[in-house]
Amino acid sequence: MRVLITIPAFNEEKVIHENVLQVLEFCHKRLSEYEFKIVIADNNSHDETAKISKYLAQENDKIDYNYVPEQGKGQAVFQTWQKYIDKFDIFIFMDADLATDINSLPDLISNLNDGADIVIGSRYLLDSQVKRNFSRKIASIVYRKLFRIILNTQITDMPCGFKAVKKEITEKIVSKVKDHGWFFDTELLYLAENKGFKIKEVPVKWHEPRTKDNKSRVNLIKVSWLYLKEIIRLRLTKIN
């Protein structure tokens, strides 16, 4: 079984070295039975992310560097998956800040092996553990309400940046996703759910990892407005 782990990165010079090596060490210990590759998908960073990532790739044969000039997390994931589509069976992506505890990584793979088409981390299951600031907690509540009411979805946590899909999903669904920004994986799940693919959620530990000198670059008001527009677009979209 061949596993590709994509880490989209935009201006992550403060964390990319330590976090990628942490993922690498974990994979050697816990995923040793798989043929795995970690790809840093550099989303046109303007800091030292490229330099650090290229060094990591040169020093470790399990790490690759892929430069994606078009802005957007979805672009970074989509183009990387397409580049490696013929070489792997399972495609995973996780956020570079490792907000989601990587100890749940084997759960993603094992559930795919047990029959799921997509496996996602959820911060809202009974066994999930979450630490986040007040503003993000409120935004999260609003997102969930919008998803449930407008999209009529059964998925509890569509935006969580910790997902795994089978190769079939990359071939049949990923290419149909219109949004290649922050909404990429939410649209992917919506399309897959409506096409009848089996989606499994697993509980995760999640914490707000950004410190004062490395705050998240996500503007909650802007992203919330974009999410609302994209949710409405999806609701009006005819699923083919």
Side-chain angles (χ1 to χ4, degrees), residues 66-67 227:
N66 187 38
Y67 175 67
Y227 263 45

Side-chain angles (χ1 to χ4, degrees), residues 80-218:
T80 300
W81 284 2
Q82 290 300 306
K83 180 178 179 179
Y84 291 84
I85 194 167
D86 294 326
K87 299 179 181 179
F88 292 90
D89 308 297
I90 291 175
F91 296 78
I92 296 171
F93 86 84
M94 62 179 66
D95 292 337
D97 57 15
L98 299 189
T100 304
D101 190 335
I102 59 175
N103 280 294
S104 295
L105 186 55
D107 291 339
L108 298 185
I109 298 172
S110 64
N111 278 280
L112 287 179
N113 290 335
D114 287 342
D117 299 301
I118 302 176
V119 186
I120 64 176
S122 174
R123 293 162 288 188
Y124 306 108
L125 298 178
L126 185 61
D127 294 328
S128 302
Q129 299 177 33
V130 177
K131 295 180 181 179
R132 70 194 323 167
N133 63 43
F134 180 76
S135 62
R136 286 182 172 272
K137 185 177 295 185
I138 296 300
S140 177
I141 292 173
V142 173
Y143 292 159
R144 291 182 68 202
K145 292 292 185 181
L146 289 174
F147 294 146
R148 287 296 183 100
I149 295 172
I150 300 177
L151 297 182
N152 191 31
T153 179
Q154 299 302 308
I155 300 170
T156 67
D157 194 357
M158 299 182 95
C160 184
F162 195 73
K163 295 179 171 71
V165 307
K166 287 182 176 177
K167 183 177 182 178
E168 182 182 10
I169 298 298
T170 68
E171 294 172 331
K172 294 184 177 180
I173 301 296
V174 172
S175 62
K176 297 181 182 297
V177 176
K178 302 297 183 183
D179 186 279
H180 286 166
W182 289 102
F183 202 72
F184 168 82
D185 45 332
T186 296
E187 184 171 354
L188 168 63
L189 291 177
Y190 178 76
L191 295 177
E193 185 179 34
N194 278 272
K195 294 294 287 185
F197 286 99
K198 184 178 179 181
I199 300 172
K200 171 72 174 180
E201 295 187 83
V202 298
V204 295
K205 292 181 180 179
W206 191 96
H207 71 288
E208 187 68 55
R210 303 289 183 173
T211 59
K212 291 183 178 179
D213 62 343
N214 188 34
K215 290 183 178 180
S216 172
R217 288 168 291 279
V218 178

